[in-house]
Amino acid sequence: MYTFLARQPIFDNKYSVYGYELLYREAEKSSSANVIDGNFATKRVLSDAITLFGLENLTNLKPAFINFTEDLILEDFPLLANPNDVVIELLEDIKITPTVIEHVAKLKKLGYTIALDDYLGDYNFNNILPYIDILKVDFMQTDRLAQENIAKKFGKSLTLLAEKVETNEEYEWAKSIGYKLFQGYFFSRPITYKKKTQQISSVTFTMLMCELNKADVDFDKCCNIIRSDTVLTYKLLKKITTMEYFRGHYINKVESAIVMMGVSDLKRWLLLVVSIDNNKTGSDELVRMAFLRGLFAQELIKRSSLSNESESAFLMGMFSLLDKIFDDSKENLLQNIAISKEISDALLGKVNNIYYKLLTFIIDYENQVNSISLKDLGINISSNELHKLYADCVKRVDSTFNYI
């Protein structure tokens, strides 16, 4: 399955790209958004841009203009993105209430750039204008007199963006009266991008939704649910690697990633990820196998002198099937997350360290062959104990995936 997202460049008066507006698309050949639910569309755009496409890949490190509804502003969803990465576009149908102004003012204080979309001169927006940085004026819905009056009134205090510019004549006119940014078919139509969707297990989706819909969210339980799903674990570590969280530290524990992100950001991020409509997948068996390998690796290493490395062993087991689940090479996938070099090299077969040997043993055990003995790993348990340990791990996997 593929996910689609469009981008349209925004230019300055020297034809240099200032940023890109990111737009929701249902299919590759869609020429418009066909948005029925604005909340869903923005959640989908922001979720896919951050966790699937990568904002830096979509925008070449230039700001991404993203539409936000009133509901999402009040829920603080813009906080999922770094202030340097996005421009928050307030839609023209937003109700300017004291609560909305309070939230916008907080975003402004945190360093976010705020744009007002499709401004036509309506006085109902007067109270929000002190917090606006960029005023987008629709050149198809306004005449030249209105465009000039807006420029005279706000040209010195705000950055004016002429949108839906269709001709060179309109561009030259807008530039002559003080507009600094430009967007429209004259410059470029939106270009749609697609990417294969890495889907969360249907069981994980259901469990998380049940937990997140509770009045008091149990984040320890959320952590355990995340750890049971390779895709979601990977998305979390990839999210953590973004600049607002990552400080050059390698992450070997899901718990550490959650602490680093913080409870409120985690909840918003999870709601984003699980809100997209294609979380149900036919690849539950691969996810089950990855989770089983993670648990088995964790329990085995606990019985060695390296028992304090149990979480690293768990991640190694979980990510051993990453390439099959994501349908991409391990090299590409592992470079996007901040796991330790010891685990990464073991997964790529570059070293013969404890993690590589442990993974080799587990794969051999699955295939009922014995190229590595547990004694070589410093683990001293009998065959009966080993079989019981594996059976217990299988039971834990079954218990997790039989939640519904």
Side-chain angles (χ1 to χ4, degrees), residues 35-262:
V35 174
I36 297 175
D37 183 341
N39 291 332
F40 169 80
T42 293
K43 286 181 179 181
R44 182 65 175 268
V45 167
L46 191 56
S47 173
D48 290 343
I50 292 174
T51 65
L52 186 58
F53 290 90
L55 268 176
E56 69 283 357
N57 298 323
L58 284 169
T59 66
N60 299 317
L61 302 179
K62 297 183 184 297
F65 286 63
I66 299 176
N67 294 322
F68 284 89
T69 63
E70 178 182 349
D71 289 343
L72 297 182
I73 291 293
L74 296 180
E75 293 172 23
D76 290 330
F77 265 96
L79 296 178
L80 284 166
N82 189 298
N84 296 323
D85 293 338
V86 299
V87 172
I88 298 168
E89 279 198 34
L90 306 180
L91 291 172
E92 65 278 7
D93 59 358
I94 194 168
K95 295 177 183 177
I96 308 302
T97 63
T99 305
V100 166
I101 293 173
E102 179 184 343
H103 281 260
V104 171
K106 181 176 74 172
L107 291 169
K108 176 88 169 178
K109 187 175 181 180
L110 290 172
Y112 289 90
T113 300
I114 314 294
L116 181 59
D117 196 22
D118 289 343
Y119 182 71
L120 304 176
D122 191 332
Y123 69 89
N124 288 323
F125 292 103
N126 287 352
N127 290 336
I128 202 72
L129 289 177
Y131 305 99
I132 300 299
D133 301 288
I134 300 173
L135 204 58
K136 299 185 71 174
V137 180
D138 189 325
F139 267 46
M140 291 187 71
Q141 294 190 50
T142 54
D143 56 26
R144 287 200 167 191
L145 179 60
Q147 293 159 10
E148 188 171 15
N149 285 339
I150 291 171
K152 288 179 179 178
K153 188 172 184 180
F154 300 109
K156 293 182 179 180
S157 58
L158 301 176
T159 299
L160 300 182
L161 189 158
E163 59 178 336
K164 297 181 183 174
V165 174
E166 303 287 306
T167 65
N168 182 62
E169 181 184 6
E170 288 179 337
Y171 165 62
E172 292 295 342
W173 158 252
K175 189 166 63 169
S176 71
I177 60 175
Y179 287 75
K180 302 298 184 185
L181 300 176
F182 311 88
Q183 180 182 7
Y185 285 1
F186 170 68
F187 302 95
S188 174
R189 290 176 177 267
I191 298 173
T192 299
Y193 295 81
K194 73 175 183 178
K195 193 155 188 177
K196 191 175 179 101
T197 304
Q198 294 89 33
Q199 296 170 310
I200 300 168
S201 157
S202 58
V203 175
T204 307
F205 169 78
T206 303
M207 293 171 69
L208 270 174
M209 287 306 296
C210 289
E211 195 59 42
L212 291 171
N213 283 330
K214 293 179 180 178
D216 296 317
V217 177
D218 186 336
F219 285 94
D220 288 336
K221 184 175 286 187
C222 285
C223 175
N224 290 331
I225 295 170
I226 292 169
R227 291 172 77 254
S228 72
D229 190 289
T230 306
V231 173
L232 196 52
T233 301
Y234 177 80
K235 284 176 180 272
L236 176 63
L237 294 187
K238 187 174 180 182
K239 170 62 180 172
I240 285 297
T241 309
T242 58
M243 287 303 295
E244 68 264 37
Y245 300 110
F246 185 55
R247 297 294 182 269
H249 302 294
Y250 288 112
I251 309 298
N252 287 339
K253 297 173 66 175
V254 172
E255 289 88 343
S256 298
I258 289 176
V259 170
M260 191 176 293
M261 183 182 280

